[in-house]
Amino acid sequence: MTDHHIGLIVPSSNVTMETELPRMLNARESVRPEDRFVFHSSRMRMKHVTPEELRGMNAQTERAALELADARPDVVATACLVAIMAQGPGHHCVAEAEITSALRTEGAEAPVVSSAGALLSGIGALGARRVAVITPYMRELTATVVDYIEDAGVEVVDALSLEVPDNLAVARLDPADLRDHWRRLDLRRADALVLSACVQMPSLASIQPVEDEAGLPVLSAATSTAFRILTELGLPPVVPDAGSLLSGRVTSPAAS
């Protein structure tokens, strides 16, 4: 039995990443009991999802990474998809490199995963070229997410903004409501559905039910991050009832 230590860089108001990721990986233990997962978090201040607060939070990344380096994690995952995407196309590569560099200055060699990069590689791993997206963001920030995804070569055929600016309010959204929200999207040309393009908006409880009903792969920023964590650890990306991406049928992340 092996313990895998996972470092999380989390916005201070995010309470969902530390709920859904452990829930998925603990569920994995029921089918793969040889692997166990231990979590260590470092937080960056952010209360409202505005461009100003997102920039301020990003400025705290190095400090958060250095704190995690002391715990010698096996992999580090950074949350807040929109904070990275708001910096411009491809910025997840820059952010991941910055965190990697900070870790290495302290002798930590852990691979780094961002929720932004993970979402792109999850879409790619499914072979999806066209997606529909649900976000909790205001429309302007949703447009930023759409542009970022499309810059990576994936067409966004439709997008729904729930327009909740307060980050703690996002965490209080009922994931069961997504079982109705997805019906507001035009999925006729979609290859996959991103049920939550935000690691703060809860969605795990609805991933499999919506996938079963919609008849196409359903993923989220959180399931994509779990997929990348597992593949970076060299483990089969299998989590029960978490959608096609974590079904075990998809084994290799696409380059992001």
Side-chain angles (χ1 to χ4, degrees):
M1 189 173 291
T2 302
D3 284 346
H4 303 280
H5 290 258
I6 300 170
L8 304 176
I9 298 178
V10 187
S12 59
S13 54
N14 185 304
V15 297
T16 305
M17 185 179 187
E18 294 155 309
T19 301
E20 292 199 337
L21 280 175
R23 189 168 291 163
M24 281 186 275
L25 296 182
N26 289 338
R28 186 184 185 276
E29 293 179 19
S30 68
V31 295
R32 300 288 181 123
E34 66 274 17
D35 296 303
R36 298 185 305 187
F37 302 90
V38 183
F39 298 87
H40 312 282
S41 296
S42 182
R43 312 190 86 74
M44 305 181 297
R45 291 298 307 278
M46 189 272 283
K47 295 171 65 177
H48 297 94
V49 189
T50 64
E52 295 75 21
E53 288 208 28
L54 293 175
R55 284 193 295 271
M57 184 183 69
N58 285 339
Q60 304 167 57
T61 300
E62 181 179 9
R63 185 266 306 160
L66 292 174
E67 290 178 3
L68 284 178
D70 295 341
R72 291 298 188 266
D74 298 308
V75 62
V76 170
T78 181
C80 203
L81 174 143
V82 74
I84 288 177
M85 291 189 175
Q87 306 312 305
H91 189 75
H92 65 280
C93 297
V94 176
E96 291 170 9
E98 289 175 347
I99 295 168
T100 298
S101 177
L103 293 171
R104 287 180 176 170
T105 64
E106 296 298 319
E109 298 293 329
V112 175
V113 173
S114 68
S115 55
L119 181 62
L120 295 181
S121 58
I123 292 169
L126 289 169
R129 304 305 302 169
R130 297 178 297 275
V131 300
V133 176
I134 299 176
T135 86
Y137 311 129
M138 306 303 286
R139 291 183 183 182
E140 180 180 358
L141 283 176
T142 298
T144 297
V145 172
V146 169
D147 290 345
Y148 199 98
I149 293 171
E150 293 198 324
D151 181 79
V154 177
E155 181 185 355
V156 178
V157 299
D158 201 4
L160 174 64
S161 302
L162 299 183
E163 299 191 87
V164 183
D166 183 279
N167 208 38
L168 278 175
V170 171
R172 292 191 292 268
L173 294 172
D174 187 345
D177 291 343
L178 291 167
R179 303 185 192 189
D180 293 320
H181 289 323
W182 74 270
R183 300 178 189 281
R184 299 162 61 186
L185 292 164
D186 183 351
L187 301 180
R188 287 174 295 179
R189 297 179 55 244
D191 301 319
L193 167 60
V194 180
L195 198 62
S196 175
C198 173
V199 288
Q200 173 75 326
M201 183 167 75
S203 63
L204 183 58
S206 291
I207 295 283
Q208 194 66 56
V210 172
E211 177 165 307
D212 292 342
E213 192 159 359
L216 78 168
V218 174
L219 69 162
S220 69
T223 63
S224 299
T225 302
F227 179 82
R228 279 289 304 279
I229 286 172
L230 290 168
T231 55
E232 291 291 346
L233 290 171
L235 302 176
V238 176
V239 174
D241 300 317
S244 291
L245 187 62
L246 293 167
S247 65
R249 299 188 299 272
V250 180
T251 57
S252 299
S256 60

